[in-house]
PDB file of all heavy atoms in Angstrom:
ATOM      1  N   ALA A 123       0.471  28.677 -10.303  1.00 84.00           N
ATOM      2  CA  ALA A 123       1.045  27.577 -11.079  1.00 84.00           C
ATOM      3  C   ALA A 123       2.483  27.917 -11.432  1.00 84.00           C
ATOM      4  O   ALA A 123       2.762  28.513 -12.471  1.00 84.00           O
ATOM      5  CB  ALA A 123       0.225  27.351 -12.352  1.00 84.00           C
ATOM      6  N   ASP A 124       3.421  27.536 -10.558  1.00 87.00           N
ATOM      7  CA  ASP A 124       4.828  27.770 -10.863  1.00 87.00           C
ATOM      8  C   ASP A 124       5.680  26.669 -10.228  1.00 87.00           C
ATOM      9  O   ASP A 124       5.172  25.776  -9.544  1.00 87.00           O
ATOM     10  CB  ASP A 124       5.276  29.158 -10.390  1.00 87.00           C
ATOM     11  CG  ASP A 124       5.066  29.372  -8.879  1.00 87.00           C
ATOM     12  OD1 ASP A 124       4.975  28.364  -8.134  1.00 87.00           O
ATOM     13  OD2 ASP A 124       4.990  30.537  -8.446  1.00 87.00           O
ATOM     14  N   GLU A 125       6.982  26.728 -10.475  1.00 87.00           N
ATOM     15  CA  GLU A 125       7.883  25.681  -9.998  1.00 87.00           C
ATOM     16  C   GLU A 125       7.960  25.643  -8.477  1.00 87.00           C
ATOM     17  O   GLU A 125       8.145  24.591  -7.881  1.00 87.00           O
ATOM     18  CB  GLU A 125       9.284  25.886 -10.597  1.00 87.00           C
ATOM     19  CG  GLU A 125       9.384  25.526 -12.067  1.00 87.00           C
ATOM     20  CD  GLU A 125       9.040  24.068 -12.326  1.00 87.00           C
ATOM     21  OE1 GLU A 125       9.579  23.190 -11.629  1.00 87.00           O
ATOM     22  OE2 GLU A 125       8.223  23.806 -13.222  1.00 87.00           O
ATOM     23  N   ALA A 126       7.807  26.792  -7.828  1.00 90.00           N
ATOM     24  CA  ALA A 126       7.863  26.831  -6.372  1.00 90.00           C
ATOM     25  C   ALA A 126       6.705  26.023  -5.774  1.00 90.00           C
ATOM     26  O   ALA A 126       6.872  25.293  -4.788  1.00 90.00           O
ATOM     27  CB  ALA A 126       7.809  28.278  -5.878  1.00 90.00           C
ATOM     28  N   THR A 127       5.531  26.135  -6.374  1.00 90.00           N
ATOM     29  CA  THR A 127       4.377  25.363  -5.915  1.00 90.00           C
ATOM     30  C   THR A 127       4.616  23.872  -6.104  1.00 90.00           C
ATOM     31  O   THR A 127       4.305  23.054  -5.223  1.00 90.00           O
ATOM     32  CB  THR A 127       3.109  25.800  -6.682  1.00 90.00           C
ATOM     33  OG1 THR A 127       2.833  27.170  -6.380  1.00 90.00           O
ATOM     34  CG2 THR A 127       1.915  24.936  -6.309  1.00 90.00           C
ATOM     35  N   LYS A 128       5.176  23.539  -7.249  1.00 88.00           N
ATOM     36  CA  LYS A 128       5.485  22.136  -7.519  1.00 88.00           C
ATOM     37  C   LYS A 128       6.450  21.582  -6.470  1.00 88.00           C
ATOM     38  O   LYS A 128       6.254  20.470  -5.952  1.00 88.00           O
ATOM     39  CB  LYS A 128       6.099  22.028  -8.932  1.00 88.00           C
ATOM     40  CG  LYS A 128       6.348  20.637  -9.427  1.00 88.00           C
ATOM     41  CD  LYS A 128       6.800  20.710 -10.885  1.00 88.00           C
ATOM     42  CE  LYS A 128       7.385  19.422 -11.363  1.00 88.00           C
ATOM     43  NZ  LYS A 128       7.861  19.494 -12.754  1.00 88.00           N
ATOM     44  N   ARG A 129       7.459  22.359  -6.117  1.00 91.00           N
ATOM     45  CA  ARG A 129       8.421  21.927  -5.095  1.00 91.00           C
ATOM     46  C   ARG A 129       7.743  21.784  -3.728  1.00 91.00           C
ATOM     47  O   ARG A 129       8.066  20.884  -2.944  1.00 91.00           O
ATOM     48  CB  ARG A 129       9.599  22.898  -5.023  1.00 91.00           C
ATOM     49  CG  ARG A 129      10.554  22.802  -6.206  1.00 91.00           C
ATOM     50  CD  ARG A 129      11.844  23.553  -5.912  1.00 91.00           C
ATOM     51  NE  ARG A 129      11.632  24.983  -5.761  1.00 91.00           N
ATOM     52  CZ  ARG A 129      11.649  25.861  -6.767  1.00 91.00           C
ATOM     53  NH1 ARG A 129      11.855  25.425  -8.009  1.00 91.00           N
ATOM     54  NH2 ARG A 129      11.447  27.152  -6.541  1.00 91.00           N
ATOM     55  N   SER A 130       6.791  22.688  -3.446  1.00 92.00           N
ATOM     56  CA  SER A 130       6.065  22.610  -2.176  1.00 92.00           C
ATOM     57  C   SER A 130       5.298  21.300  -2.067  1.00 92.00           C
ATOM     58  O   SER A 130       5.248  20.675  -0.998  1.00 92.00           O
ATOM     59  CB  SER A 130       5.091  23.791  -2.047  1.00 92.00           C
ATOM     60  OG  SER A 130       5.791  25.019  -1.991  1.00 92.00           O
ATOM     61  N   PHE A 131       4.697  20.879  -3.161  1.00 93.00           N
ATOM     62  CA  PHE A 131       3.967  19.614  -3.157  1.00 93.00           C
ATOM     63  C   PHE A 131       4.913  18.429  -2.950  1.00 93.00           C
ATOM     64  O   PHE A 131       4.589  17.486  -2.227  1.00 93.00           O
ATOM     65  CB  PHE A 131       3.188  19.444  -4.465  1.00 93.00           C
ATOM     66  CG  PHE A 131       1.788  19.973  -4.403  1.00 93.00           C
ATOM     67  CD1 PHE A 131       1.531  21.316  -4.610  1.00 93.00           C
ATOM     68  CD2 PHE A 131       0.723  19.137  -4.124  1.00 93.00           C
ATOM     69  CE1 PHE A 131       0.240  21.813  -4.549  1.00 93.00           C
ATOM     70  CE2 PHE A 131      -0.563  19.616  -4.052  1.00 93.00           C
ATOM     71  CZ  PHE A 131      -0.817  20.969  -4.269  1.00 93.00           C
ATOM     72  N   VAL A 132       6.083  18.468  -3.590  1.00 93.00           N
ATOM     73  CA  VAL A 132       7.050  17.381  -3.436  1.00 93.00           C
ATOM     74  C   VAL A 132       7.489  17.282  -1.983  1.00 93.00           C
ATOM     75  O   VAL A 132       7.572  16.184  -1.411  1.00 93.00           O
ATOM     76  CB  VAL A 132       8.264  17.583  -4.372  1.00 93.00           C
ATOM     77  CG1 VAL A 132       9.359  16.564  -4.056  1.00 93.00           C
ATOM     78  CG2 VAL A 132       7.840  17.460  -5.833  1.00 93.00           C
ATOM     79  N   GLU A 133       7.759  18.435  -1.358  1.00 94.00           N
ATOM     80  CA  GLU A 133       8.166  18.443   0.054  1.00 94.00           C
ATOM     81  C   GLU A 133       7.050  17.887   0.948  1.00 94.00           C
ATOM     82  O   GLU A 133       7.298  17.141   1.897  1.00 94.00           O
ATOM     83  CB  GLU A 133       8.537  19.873   0.474  1.00 94.00           C
ATOM     84  CG  GLU A 133       9.814  20.381  -0.187  1.00 94.00           C
ATOM     85  CD  GLU A 133      10.007  21.876   0.004  1.00 94.00           C
ATOM     86  OE1 GLU A 133       9.153  22.492   0.701  1.00 94.00           O
ATOM     87  OE2 GLU A 133      10.974  22.429  -0.551  1.00 94.00           O
ATOM     88  N   TRP A 134       5.797  18.281   0.650  1.00 94.00           N
ATOM     89  CA  TRP A 134       4.664  17.790   1.434  1.00 94.00           C
ATOM     90  C   TRP A 134       4.494  16.274   1.284  1.00 94.00           C
ATOM     91  O   TRP A 134       4.276  15.561   2.264  1.00 94.00           O
ATOM     92  CB  TRP A 134       3.395  18.515   0.981  1.00 94.00           C
ATOM     93  CG  TRP A 134       2.134  17.903   1.508  1.00 94.00           C
ATOM     94  CD1 TRP A 134       1.707  17.910   2.799  1.00 94.00           C
ATOM     95  CD2 TRP A 134       1.154  17.190   0.758  1.00 94.00           C
ATOM     96  NE1 TRP A 134       0.503  17.250   2.908  1.00 94.00           N
ATOM     97  CE2 TRP A 134       0.141  16.794   1.665  1.00 94.00           C
ATOM     98  CE3 TRP A 134       1.013  16.868  -0.584  1.00 94.00           C
ATOM     99  CZ2 TRP A 134      -0.984  16.085   1.265  1.00 94.00           C
ATOM    100  CZ3 TRP A 134      -0.101  16.161  -0.990  1.00 94.00           C
ATOM    101  CH2 TRP A 134      -1.073  15.766  -0.074  1.00 94.00           C
ATOM    102  N   LEU A 135       4.619  15.764   0.039  1.00 94.00           N
ATOM    103  CA  LEU A 135       4.510  14.320  -0.197  1.00 94.00           C
ATOM    104  C   LEU A 135       5.572  13.564   0.592  1.00 94.00           C
ATOM    105  O   LEU A 135       5.303  12.511   1.184  1.00 94.00           O
ATOM    106  CB  LEU A 135       4.668  14.021  -1.692  1.00 94.00           C
ATOM    107  CG  LEU A 135       3.508  14.408  -2.601  1.00 94.00           C
ATOM    108  CD1 LEU A 135       3.936  14.368  -4.068  1.00 94.00           C
ATOM    109  CD2 LEU A 135       2.313  13.486  -2.387  1.00 94.00           C
ATOM    110  N   ASP A 136       6.758  14.139   0.619  1.00 94.00           N
ATOM    111  CA  ASP A 136       7.870  13.489   1.332  1.00 94.00           C
ATOM    112  C   ASP A 136       7.615  13.476   2.845  1.00 94.00           C
ATOM    113  O   ASP A 136       7.794  12.446   3.507  1.00 94.00           O
ATOM    114  CB  ASP A 136       9.169  14.224   1.003  1.00 94.00           C
ATOM    115  CG  ASP A 136      10.394  13.492   1.523  1.00 94.00           C
ATOM    116  OD1 ASP A 136      10.489  12.273   1.307  1.00 94.00           O
ATOM    117  OD2 ASP A 136      11.248  14.135   2.159  1.00 94.00           O
ATOM    118  N   ARG A 137       7.176  14.592   3.380  1.00 94.00           N
ATOM    119  CA  ARG A 137       6.911  14.672   4.826  1.00 94.00           C
ATOM    120  C   ARG A 137       5.782  13.718   5.230  1.00 94.00           C
ATOM    121  O   ARG A 137       5.839  13.078   6.279  1.00 94.00           O
ATOM    122  CB  ARG A 137       6.530  16.100   5.221  1.00 94.00           C
ATOM    123  CG  ARG A 137       7.665  17.081   5.249  1.00 94.00           C
ATOM    124  CD  ARG A 137       7.274  18.340   6.007  1.00 94.00           C
ATOM    125  NE  ARG A 137       6.028  18.930   5.521  1.00 94.00           N
ATOM    126  CZ  ARG A 137       5.942  19.831   4.555  1.00 94.00           C
ATOM    127  NH1 ARG A 137       7.051  20.262   3.962  1.00 94.00           N
ATOM    128  NH2 ARG A 137       4.776  20.317   4.182  1.00 94.00           N
ATOM    129  N   ALA A 138       4.766  13.637   4.377  1.00 93.00           N
ATOM    130  CA  ALA A 138       3.602  12.812   4.699  1.00 93.00           C
ATOM    131  C   ALA A 138       3.847  11.331   4.429  1.00 93.00           C
ATOM    132  O   ALA A 138       3.029  10.490   4.814  1.00 93.00           O
ATOM    133  CB  ALA A 138       2.397  13.289   3.886  1.00 93.00           C
ATOM    134  N   GLY A 139       4.958  11.016   3.761  1.00 93.00           N
ATOM    135  CA  GLY A 139       5.260   9.627   3.453  1.00 93.00           C
ATOM    136  C   GLY A 139       4.488   9.086   2.267  1.00 93.00           C
ATOM    137  O   GLY A 139       4.403   7.867   2.068  1.00 93.00           O
ATOM    138  N   PHE A 140       3.924  10.002   1.440  1.00 92.00           N
ATOM    139  CA  PHE A 140       3.158   9.575   0.273  1.00 92.00           C
ATOM    140  C   PHE A 140       4.034   9.391  -0.973  1.00 92.00           C
ATOM    141  O   PHE A 140       3.629   8.736  -1.926  1.00 92.00           O
ATOM    142  CB  PHE A 140       2.062  10.599  -0.062  1.00 92.00           C
ATOM    143  CG  PHE A 140       1.038  10.777   1.016  1.00 92.00           C
ATOM    144  CD1 PHE A 140       0.419  12.014   1.195  1.00 92.00           C
ATOM    145  CD2 PHE A 140       0.695   9.737   1.855  1.00 92.00           C
ATOM    146  CE1 PHE A 140      -0.535  12.189   2.184  1.00 92.00           C
ATOM    147  CE2 PHE A 140      -0.256   9.907   2.849  1.00 92.00           C
ATOM    148  CZ  PHE A 140      -0.871  11.137   3.024  1.00 92.00           C
ATOM    149  N   GLY A 141       5.210  10.011  -0.973  1.00 94.00           N
ATOM    150  CA  GLY A 141       6.052   9.952  -2.172  1.00 94.00           C
ATOM    151  C   GLY A 141       7.338  10.719  -1.969  1.00 94.00           C
ATOM    152  O   GLY A 141       7.658  11.161  -0.864  1.00 94.00           O
ATOM    153  N   ARG A 142       8.053  10.911  -3.082  1.00 95.00           N
ATOM    154  CA  ARG A 142       9.315  11.655  -3.021  1.00 95.00           C
ATOM    155  C   ARG A 142       9.646  12.189  -4.409  1.00 95.00           C
ATOM    156  O   ARG A 142       9.160  11.676  -5.425  1.00 95.00           O
ATOM    157  CB  ARG A 142      10.456  10.756  -2.540  1.00 95.00           C
ATOM    158  CG  ARG A 142      10.736   9.550  -3.407  1.00 95.00           C
ATOM    159  CD  ARG A 142      11.816   8.664  -2.804  1.00 95.00           C
ATOM    160  NE  ARG A 142      12.031   7.439  -3.560  1.00 95.00           N
ATOM    161  CZ  ARG A 142      12.809   7.332  -4.629  1.00 95.00           C
ATOM    162  NH1 ARG A 142      13.467   8.390  -5.088  1.00 95.00           N
ATOM    163  NH2 ARG A 142      12.955   6.182  -5.239  1.00 95.00           N
ATOM    164  N   GLY A 143      10.483  13.227  -4.436  1.00 94.00           N
ATOM    165  CA  GLY A 143      10.894  13.812  -5.708  1.00 94.00           C
ATOM    166  C   GLY A 143      11.717  12.849  -6.537  1.00 94.00           C
ATOM    167  O   GLY A 143      12.475  12.033  -6.002  1.00 94.00           O
ATOM    168  N   LYS A 144      11.589  12.934  -7.853  1.00 92.00           N
ATOM    169  CA  LYS A 144      12.308  12.016  -8.742  1.00 92.00           C
ATOM    170  C   LYS A 144      12.528  12.675 -10.100  1.00 92.00           C
ATOM    171  O   LYS A 144      11.653  13.365 -10.618  1.00 92.00           O
ATOM    172  CB  LYS A 144      11.496  10.729  -8.919  1.00 92.00           C
ATOM    173  CG  LYS A 144      12.088   9.720  -9.864  1.00 92.00           C
ATOM    174  CD  LYS A 144      13.391   9.136  -9.334  1.00 92.00           C
ATOM    175  CE  LYS A 144      13.952   8.069 -10.268  1.00 92.00           C
ATOM    176  NZ  LYS A 144      15.271   7.574  -9.823  1.00 92.00           N
ATOM    177  N   VAL A 145      13.725  12.457 -10.650  1.00 90.00           N
ATOM    178  CA  VAL A 145      14.037  12.881 -12.016  1.00 90.00           C
ATOM    179  C   VAL A 145      14.084  11.644 -12.890  1.00 90.00           C
ATOM    180  O   VAL A 145      14.746  10.652 -12.547  1.00 90.00           O
ATOM    181  CB  VAL A 145      15.387  13.625 -12.096  1.00 90.00           C
ATOM    182  CG1 VAL A 145      15.736  13.956 -13.535  1.00 90.00           C
ATOM    183  CG2 VAL A 145      15.335  14.895 -11.248  1.00 90.00           C
ATOM    184  N   THR A 146      13.360  11.645 -13.998  1.00 87.00           N
ATOM    185  CA  THR A 146      13.394  10.525 -14.942  1.00 87.00           C
ATOM    186  C   THR A 146      13.796  11.042 -16.325  1.00 87.00           C
ATOM    187  O   THR A 146      13.830  12.248 -16.574  1.00 87.00           O
ATOM    188  CB  THR A 146      12.036   9.806 -15.047  1.00 87.00           C
ATOM    189  OG1 THR A 146      11.086  10.704 -15.621  1.00 87.00           O
ATOM    190  CG2 THR A 146      11.548   9.337 -13.694  1.00 87.00           C
ATOM    191  N   TYR A 147      14.077  10.097 -17.206  1.00 88.00           N
ATOM    192  CA  TYR A 147      14.528  10.437 -18.549  1.00 88.00           C
ATOM    193  C   TYR A 147      13.786   9.598 -19.580  1.00 88.00           C
ATOM    194  O   TYR A 147      13.454   8.436 -19.325  1.00 88.00           O
ATOM    195  CB  TYR A 147      16.037  10.179 -18.697  1.00 88.00           C
ATOM    196  CG  TYR A 147      16.870  10.964 -17.723  1.00 88.00           C
ATOM    197  CD1 TYR A 147      17.187  10.438 -16.473  1.00 88.00           C
ATOM    198  CD2 TYR A 147      17.310  12.250 -18.023  1.00 88.00           C
ATOM    199  CE1 TYR A 147      17.926  11.160 -15.559  1.00 88.00           C
ATOM    200  CE2 TYR A 147      18.051  12.980 -17.121  1.00 88.00           C
ATOM    201  CZ  TYR A 147      18.356  12.433 -15.888  1.00 88.00           C
ATOM    202  OH  TYR A 147      19.082  13.155 -14.991  1.00 88.00           O
ATOM    203  N   ARG A 148      13.547  10.206 -20.710  1.00 85.00           N
ATOM    204  CA  ARG A 148      13.004   9.454 -21.839  1.00 85.00           C
ATOM    205  C   ARG A 148      14.070   8.494 -22.370  1.00 85.00           C
ATOM    206  O   ARG A 148      13.764   7.401 -22.855  1.00 85.00           O
ATOM    207  CB  ARG A 148      12.572  10.422 -22.944  1.00 85.00           C
ATOM    208  CG  ARG A 148      11.940   9.750 -24.158  1.00 85.00           C
ATOM    209  CD  ARG A 148      11.646  10.786 -25.239  1.00 85.00           C
ATOM    210  NE  ARG A 148      11.098  10.170 -26.425  1.00 85.00           N
ATOM    211  CZ  ARG A 148       9.821   9.937 -26.617  1.00 85.00           C
ATOM    212  NH1 ARG A 148       8.942  10.256 -25.690  1.00 85.00           N
ATOM    213  NH2 ARG A 148       9.400   9.373 -27.739  1.00 85.00           N
ATOM    214  N   LEU A 149      15.322   8.928 -22.283  1.00 89.00           N
ATOM    215  CA  LEU A 149      16.457   8.098 -22.665  1.00 89.00           C
ATOM    216  C   LEU A 149      16.405   6.781 -21.896  1.00 89.00           C
ATOM    217  O   LEU A 149      16.143   6.762 -20.699  1.00 89.00           O
ATOM    218  CB  LEU A 149      17.750   8.836 -22.342  1.00 89.00           C
ATOM    219  CG  LEU A 149      19.076   8.111 -22.611  1.00 89.00           C
ATOM    220  CD1 LEU A 149      19.299   7.960 -24.104  1.00 89.00           C
ATOM    221  CD2 LEU A 149      20.231   8.873 -21.975  1.00 89.00           C
ATOM    222  N   ARG A 150      16.644   5.689 -22.577  1.00 86.00           N
ATOM    223  CA  ARG A 150      16.630   4.378 -21.937  1.00 86.00           C
ATOM    224  C   ARG A 150      18.011   3.754 -21.999  1.00 86.00           C
ATOM    225  O   ARG A 150      18.781   3.991 -22.936  1.00 86.00           O
ATOM    226  CB  ARG A 150      15.634   3.450 -22.657  1.00 86.00           C
ATOM    227  CG  ARG A 150      14.185   3.857 -22.476  1.00 86.00           C
ATOM    228  CD  ARG A 150      13.720   3.594 -21.061  1.00 86.00           C
ATOM    229  NE  ARG A 150      12.418   4.198 -20.801  1.00 86.00           N
ATOM    230  CZ  ARG A 150      12.238   5.360 -20.204  1.00 86.00           C
ATOM    231  NH1 ARG A 150      13.277   6.055 -19.807  1.00 86.00           N
ATOM    232  NH2 ARG A 150      11.040   5.839 -19.987  1.00 86.00           N
ATOM    233  N   ASP A 151      18.324   2.950 -20.994  1.00 90.00           N
ATOM    234  CA  ASP A 151      19.577   2.210 -21.045  1.00 90.00           C
ATOM    235  C   ASP A 151      19.562   1.274 -22.253  1.00 90.00           C
ATOM    236  O   ASP A 151      18.509   0.774 -22.658  1.00 90.00           O
ATOM    237  CB  ASP A 151      19.775   1.415 -19.752  1.00 90.00           C
ATOM    238  CG  ASP A 151      20.177   2.305 -18.595  1.00 90.00           C
ATOM    239  OD1 ASP A 151      20.659   3.423 -18.854  1.00 90.00           O
ATOM    240  OD2 ASP A 151      20.003   1.896 -17.435  1.00 90.00           O
ATOM    241  N   TRP A 152      20.764   1.032 -22.784  1.00 87.00           N
ATOM    242  CA  TRP A 152      20.913   0.317 -24.056  1.00 87.00           C
ATOM    243  C   TRP A 152      20.904  -1.194 -23.821  1.00 87.00           C
ATOM    244  O   TRP A 152      21.780  -1.736 -23.161  1.00 87.00           O
ATOM    245  CB  TRP A 152      22.216   0.781 -24.708  1.00 87.00           C
ATOM    246  CG  TRP A 152      22.517   0.166 -26.028  1.00 87.00           C
ATOM    247  CD1 TRP A 152      21.648  -0.422 -26.903  1.00 87.00           C
ATOM    248  CD2 TRP A 152      23.808   0.090 -26.639  1.00 87.00           C
ATOM    249  NE1 TRP A 152      22.304  -0.856 -28.020  1.00 87.00           N
ATOM    250  CE2 TRP A 152      23.630  -0.565 -27.881  1.00 87.00           C
ATOM    251  CE3 TRP A 152      25.073   0.501 -26.266  1.00 87.00           C
ATOM    252  CZ2 TRP A 152      24.692  -0.806 -28.745  1.00 87.00           C
ATOM    253  CZ3 TRP A 152      26.125   0.260 -27.117  1.00 87.00           C
ATOM    254  CH2 TRP A 152      25.934  -0.381 -28.342  1.00 87.00           C
ATOM    255  N   LEU A 153      19.881  -1.854 -24.385  1.00 84.00           N
ATOM    256  CA  LEU A 153      19.796  -3.307 -24.293  1.00 84.00           C
ATOM    257  C   LEU A 153      20.760  -3.905 -25.310  1.00 84.00           C
ATOM    258  O   LEU A 153      20.633  -3.670 -26.504  1.00 84.00           O
ATOM    259  CB  LEU A 153      18.357  -3.751 -24.584  1.00 84.00           C
ATOM    260  CG  LEU A 153      17.993  -5.207 -24.297  1.00 84.00           C
ATOM    261  CD1 LEU A 153      16.481  -5.347 -24.159  1.00 84.00           C
ATOM    262  CD2 LEU A 153      18.483  -6.157 -25.372  1.00 84.00           C
ATOM    263  N   ILE A 154      21.756  -4.679 -24.827  1.00 84.00           N
ATOM    264  CA  ILE A 154      22.817  -5.153 -25.732  1.00 84.00           C
ATOM    265  C   ILE A 154      22.829  -6.660 -25.936  1.00 84.00           C
ATOM    266  O   ILE A 154      23.582  -7.156 -26.775  1.00 84.00           O
ATOM    267  CB  ILE A 154      24.211  -4.724 -25.218  1.00 84.00           C
ATOM    268  CG1 ILE A 154      24.475  -5.337 -23.838  1.00 84.00           C
ATOM    269  CG2 ILE A 154      24.339  -3.215 -25.210  1.00 84.00           C
ATOM    270  CD1 ILE A 154      25.908  -5.214 -23.382  1.00 84.00           C
ATOM    271  N   SER A 155      22.008  -7.417 -25.193  1.00 70.00           N
ATOM    272  CA  SER A 155      22.174  -8.874 -25.273  1.00 70.00           C
ATOM    273  C   SER A 155      21.240  -9.546 -26.259  1.00 70.00           C
ATOM    274  O   SER A 155      21.142 -10.757 -26.306  1.00 70.00           O
ATOM    275  CB  SER A 155      21.998  -9.497 -23.883  1.00 70.00           C
ATOM    276  OG  SER A 155      20.714  -9.248 -23.375  1.00 70.00           O
ATOM    277  N   ARG A 156      20.538  -8.786 -27.088  1.00 56.00           N
ATOM    278  CA  ARG A 156      19.642  -9.393 -28.068  1.00 56.00           C
ATOM    279  C   ARG A 156      20.398  -9.970 -29.269  1.00 56.00           C
ATOM    280  O   ARG A 156      19.843 -10.693 -30.077  1.00 56.00           O
ATOM    281  CB  ARG A 156      18.635  -8.372 -28.585  1.00 56.00           C
ATOM    282  CG  ARG A 156      19.290  -7.265 -29.394  1.00 56.00           C
ATOM    283  CD  ARG A 156      18.301  -6.542 -30.290  1.00 56.00           C
ATOM    284  NE  ARG A 156      18.934  -5.466 -31.014  1.00 56.00           N
ATOM    285  CZ  ARG A 156      19.686  -5.628 -32.090  1.00 56.00           C
ATOM    286  NH1 ARG A 156      19.922  -6.840 -32.562  1.00 56.00           N
ATOM    287  NH2 ARG A 156      20.241  -4.599 -32.698  1.00 56.00           N
ATOM    288  N   GLN A 157      21.685  -9.625 -29.415  1.00 52.00           N
ATOM    289  CA  GLN A 157      22.336  -9.823 -30.698  1.00 52.00           C
ATOM    290  C   GLN A 157      22.669 -11.272 -31.048  1.00 52.00           C
ATOM    291  O   GLN A 157      22.744 -11.618 -32.193  1.00 52.00           O
ATOM    292  CB  GLN A 157      23.632  -8.998 -30.768  1.00 52.00           C
ATOM    293  CG  GLN A 157      23.385  -7.501 -30.815  1.00 52.00           C
ATOM    294  CD  GLN A 157      23.429  -6.876 -29.440  1.00 52.00           C
ATOM    295  OE1 GLN A 157      23.204  -7.543 -28.445  1.00 52.00           O
ATOM    296  NE2 GLN A 157      23.691  -5.593 -29.378  1.00 52.00           N
ATOM    297  N   ARG A 158      22.906 -12.142 -30.053  1.00 51.00           N
ATOM    298  CA  ARG A 158      23.434 -13.483 -30.323  1.00 51.00           C
ATOM    299  C   ARG A 158      24.699 -13.361 -31.167  1.00 51.00           C
ATOM    300  O   ARG A 158      25.729 -12.900 -30.698  1.00 51.00           O
ATOM    301  CB  ARG A 158      22.385 -14.375 -30.989  1.00 51.00           C
ATOM    302  CG  ARG A 158      21.462 -15.009 -29.969  1.00 51.00           C
ATOM    303  CD  ARG A 158      20.454 -15.914 -30.590  1.00 51.00           C
ATOM    304  NE  ARG A 158      20.992 -17.218 -30.907  1.00 51.00           N
ATOM    305  CZ  ARG A 158      20.247 -18.214 -31.321  1.00 51.00           C
ATOM    306  NH1 ARG A 158      18.948 -18.034 -31.479  1.00 51.00           N
ATOM    307  NH2 ARG A 158      20.768 -19.382 -31.590  1.00 51.00           N
ATOM    308  N   TYR A 159      24.665 -13.743 -32.437  1.00 50.00           N
ATOM    309  CA  TYR A 159      25.861 -13.624 -33.279  1.00 50.00           C
ATOM    310  C   TYR A 159      26.148 -12.173 -33.673  1.00 50.00           C
ATOM    311  O   TYR A 159      27.074 -11.910 -34.404  1.00 50.00           O
ATOM    312  CB  TYR A 159      25.697 -14.460 -34.552  1.00 50.00           C
ATOM    313  CG  TYR A 159      25.910 -15.935 -34.337  1.00 50.00           C
ATOM    314  CD1 TYR A 159      24.848 -16.824 -34.405  1.00 50.00           C
ATOM    315  CD2 TYR A 159      27.173 -16.447 -34.047  1.00 50.00           C
ATOM    316  CE1 TYR A 159      25.029 -18.179 -34.209  1.00 50.00           C
ATOM    317  CE2 TYR A 159      27.368 -17.797 -33.845  1.00 50.00           C
ATOM    318  CZ  TYR A 159      26.294 -18.663 -33.931  1.00 50.00           C
ATOM    319  OH  TYR A 159      26.479 -19.989 -33.738  1.00 50.00           O
ATOM    320  N   TRP A 160      25.305 -11.243 -33.202  1.00 64.00           N
ATOM    321  CA  TRP A 160      25.437  -9.868 -33.685  1.00 64.00           C
ATOM    322  C   TRP A 160      26.486  -9.070 -32.909  1.00 64.00           C
ATOM    323  O   TRP A 160      26.758  -7.921 -33.210  1.00 64.00           O
ATOM    324  CB  TRP A 160      24.084  -9.156 -33.588  1.00 64.00           C
ATOM    325  CG  TRP A 160      23.956  -8.025 -34.545  1.00 64.00           C
ATOM    326  CD1 TRP A 160      24.431  -6.764 -34.373  1.00 64.00           C
ATOM    327  CD2 TRP A 160      23.336  -8.043 -35.831  1.00 64.00           C
ATOM    328  NE1 TRP A 160      24.146  -5.992 -35.461  1.00 64.00           N
ATOM    329  CE2 TRP A 160      23.474  -6.749 -36.382  1.00 64.00           C
ATOM    330  CE3 TRP A 160      22.687  -9.000 -36.577  1.00 64.00           C
ATOM    331  CZ2 TRP A 160      22.975  -6.409 -37.629  1.00 64.00           C
ATOM    332  CZ3 TRP A 160      22.186  -8.653 -37.814  1.00 64.00           C
ATOM    333  CH2 TRP A 160      22.331  -7.385 -38.328  1.00 64.00           C
TER     334      TRP A 160
END
């Protein structure tokens, strides 16, 4: 159970066409159009 194993799975998913590596964030883009007069 280490990062190298995790990378091996990502490479396998990509080769097999099942998926691909991805970085996501908890941070969300800022929704600005709710304000109306705000």
Side-chain angles (χ1 to χ4, degrees):
D124 58 22
E125 286 300 311
T127 297
K128 186 174 166 182
R129 287 193 295 272
S130 296
F131 269 83
V132 172
E133 291 168 3
W134 168 69
L135 288 166
D136 189 47
R137 286 196 308 270
F140 298 149
R142 60 184 175 84
K144 177 67 177 175
V145 176
T146 66
Y147 301 90
R148 182 184 178 87
L149 177 69
R150 292 289 170 262
D151 285 340
W152 181 21
L153 191 160
I154 61 168
S155 61
R156 66 160 178 78
Q157 291 94 336
R158 276 182 80 172
Y159 282 110
W160 205 278

